[in-house]
Amino acid sequence: MWLVLPLLGLIIGAYLGSAVTFQLPAVYLKYMSIAVLASLDSVFGGIKAILEEKFDGTILLTGFFSNALLAALLTYLGDRLGVDLYYAAIFAFGVRLFHNLATIRHYCLLSFRKKRSMRQEYDGMRHGEYDE
Amino acid sequence: MRKAIPTFLIICILTGFLLAFQFTTQNKNASFNAVSQRNNNLITIIHDLEKEIANQEDQIEAMRAQLNDLQSTHSKGKLQDLQTTLAKAKVEAGLTPVVGKGIIITIDDNQEGMKANPNDDPNKYIVHDEHLLNLVNELRIGSAEAIAINGHRLITTSEIRCVGNLINVDMSRVAPPYEIRAIGSPKLMIESISMGKLAELENDNYPITIEESEHLVIPAYRGDLQFKYTNKS
């Protein structure tokens, strides 16, 4: 049931986002892309935490904002210094995305296998009963 | 896990919002780029300047007509002689509209050839400034007395120059099909062209026609004519 939740949230957000007609000046496009990455990272991080049953809303929210702020700071600094420091943020977020996705996948596969083997055990037991 | 739902929903909505927003901005940016906007600005500037030039040319023409009127009103004795010389000189310089026997050459881009070979270099199929220059040269060899390209009178200082995919004649853009009008002996001019580049142009499949005309009107030179550095020796 909870898997529907992020999808639902994404759809609501997408609807709101496409309804907005406000246009951002081209200078801030970099910051926007960083923000998108940071929030995507948070979503995956959240899913991972839920699966591991370690979810803490405050940590997730503060993590999202501090990550976004640091990334924005790096971008700004990079603009001032003439070094594309925002690649560092993109890289970090990208790596984390993959990492989180891998953890989610591992977890799902493992729990699926566990369930199956449990069911087989259970079936085996029932068959055993009938056999005897 | 119940506690996770509101926070997680907020994050999800935020992500969806940012994604959609970024997506729409990127889409808009693809169709709206700075270079094309700058080009549009330049185009409007060019159009405005062209309008201004046309206005000023009209003004020049009006003032010339006024001057002619003034000159023709007071004419006595020696002054009259001078004025006839002046009038003749003006006709020769191209400052008055002229009429006479001559030919009209029409030449267009080889559009059929371009359509037939869309992958080919389009330069092989469009009329270039050199083509017009050659034709004008040959008309002059055939003793043409007055020449105009698409209504732009050629005078001694006129230039024919390539500007991108158009041609400038006397600083004004002309577009194909090009119509070259020339007053002079039709026989001589046609002979001169036929001996020159006509065969080459026909070989390259440019649509080109030559007509003779008994009553050809050629407009006056519309630009300004000032000699700042040239003095009588």
Side-chain angles (χ1 to χ4, degrees):
Chain A
M1 175 254 155
W2 62 269
L3 246 175
V4 188
L5 209 66
L7 275 177
L8 192 75
L10 280 179
I11 289 166
I12 295 172
Y15 178 74
L16 288 177
S18 50
V20 169
T21 47
F22 165 76
Q23 205 169 1
L24 210 66
V27 194
Y28 299 120
L29 273 181
K30 262 188 198 172
Y31 295 90
M32 268 303 289
S33 51
I34 288 290
V36 167
L37 269 178
S39 59
L40 261 182
D41 173 58
S42 294
V43 168
F44 277 90
I47 295 175
K48 190 184 107 178
I50 287 177
L51 285 175
E52 288 176 341
E53 303 193 344
K54 286 195 292 194
F55 188 89
D56 186 328
T58 329
I59 289 183
L60 189 70
L61 269 182
T62 49
F64 168 66
F65 284 111
S66 69
N67 280 347
L69 269 180
L70 178 65
L73 201 72
L74 275 182
T75 313
Y76 177 76
L77 207 68
D79 270 353
R80 295 289 116 191
L81 294 177
V83 185
D84 279 337
L85 274 182
Y86 87 114
Y87 283 124
I90 289 181
F91 182 73
F93 284 135
V95 168
R96 274 176 55 127
L97 272 177
F98 280 113
H99 187 75
N100 284 344
L101 190 68
T103 317
I104 292 168
R105 199 190 64 225
H106 276 241
Y107 185 87
C108 286
L109 268 177
L110 283 181
S111 67
F112 175 70
R113 277 190 194 150
K114 213 156 85 186
K115 266 184 198 159
R116 202 172 56 179
S117 67
M118 269 166 73
R119 193 180 296 141
Q120 274 172 355
E121 248 170 59
Y122 178 66
D123 286 353
M125 269 162 66
R126 280 178 50 174
H127 281 297
E129 270 175 13
Y130 277 92
D131 278 348
E132 276 179 48
Chain B
M1 274 310 99
R2 292 247 154 228
K3 243 172 56 188
I5 289 174
T7 330
F8 195 57
L9 199 62
I10 290 172
I11 292 283
C12 285
I13 290 173
L14 199 61
T15 309
F17 177 84
L18 288 175
L19 273 176
F21 185 73
Q22 181 79 348
F23 189 72
T24 43
T25 352
Q26 285 293 351
N27 260 11
K28 266 181 214 151
N29 274 23
S31 56
F32 170 95
N33 74 52
V35 175
S36 77
Q37 212 213 356
R38 203 173 130 250
N39 284 348
N40 275 339
N41 286 345
L42 288 177
I43 288 168
T44 40
I45 289 174
I46 290 172
H47 281 311
D48 286 351
L49 284 176
E50 272 175 355
K51 257 184 225 158
E52 210 181 298
I53 289 173
N55 274 345
Q56 288 185 344
E57 279 174 350
D58 286 344
Q59 233 171 333
I60 290 173
E61 229 167 317
M63 283 169 102
R64 277 201 188 125
Q66 225 177 342
L67 192 66
N68 276 342
D69 279 352
L70 287 174
Q71 281 168 346
S72 55
T73 42
H74 320 280
S75 47
K76 272 182 210 156
K78 208 177 174 191
L79 194 60
Q80 205 171 8
D81 284 350
L82 281 173
Q83 272 170 358
T84 18
T85 328
L86 180 64
K88 216 180 143 217
K90 271 185 179 169
V91 170
E92 281 162 11
L95 298 180
T96 53
V98 285
V99 62
K101 208 156 75 160
I103 60 172
I104 305 175
I105 306 171
T106 322
I107 179 166
D108 199 354
D109 292 342
N110 182 7
Q111 276 158 353
E112 279 170 32
M114 209 172 337
K115 266 179 211 152
N117 309 298
N119 296 326
D120 217 353
D121 182 9
N123 275 331
K124 283 203 273 189
Y125 302 101
I126 60 171
V127 177
H128 289 280
D129 48 340
E130 300 152 37
H131 297 140
L132 296 188
L133 271 172
N134 284 334
L135 284 173
V136 167
N137 246 356
E138 280 148 16
L139 285 172
R140 282 186 172 148
I141 294 169
S143 57
E145 288 162 12
I147 304 174
I149 299 179
N150 284 15
H152 292 282
R153 177 73 172 270
L154 296 187
I155 59 164
T156 48
T157 56
S158 294
E159 92 287 358
I160 297 173
R161 187 168 61 105
C162 168
V163 279
N165 45 9
L166 293 175
I167 297 176
N168 254 10
V169 173
D170 265 332
M171 297 296 181
S172 306
R173 287 180 297 145
V174 293
Y178 302 104
E179 189 199 67
I180 307 175
R181 289 169 174 238
I183 289 179
S185 153
K187 191 170 157 269
L188 267 179
M189 289 192 290
I190 290 175
E191 234 168 60
S192 165
I193 293 173
S194 311
M195 278 161 64
K197 297 280 181 181
L198 181 69
E200 211 174 285
L201 286 169
E202 278 173 344
N203 244 355
D204 288 339
N205 290 322
Y206 287 106
I208 181 166
T209 54
I210 298 174
E211 288 174 61
E212 280 183 45
S213 173
E214 282 298 310
H215 186 83
L216 204 60
V217 181
I218 288 185
Y221 176 67
R222 284 169 62 83
D224 188 17
L225 195 62
Q226 279 184 347
F227 286 80
K228 282 186 198 154
Y229 302 100
T230 317
N231 295 309
K232 204 177 162 210
S233 66

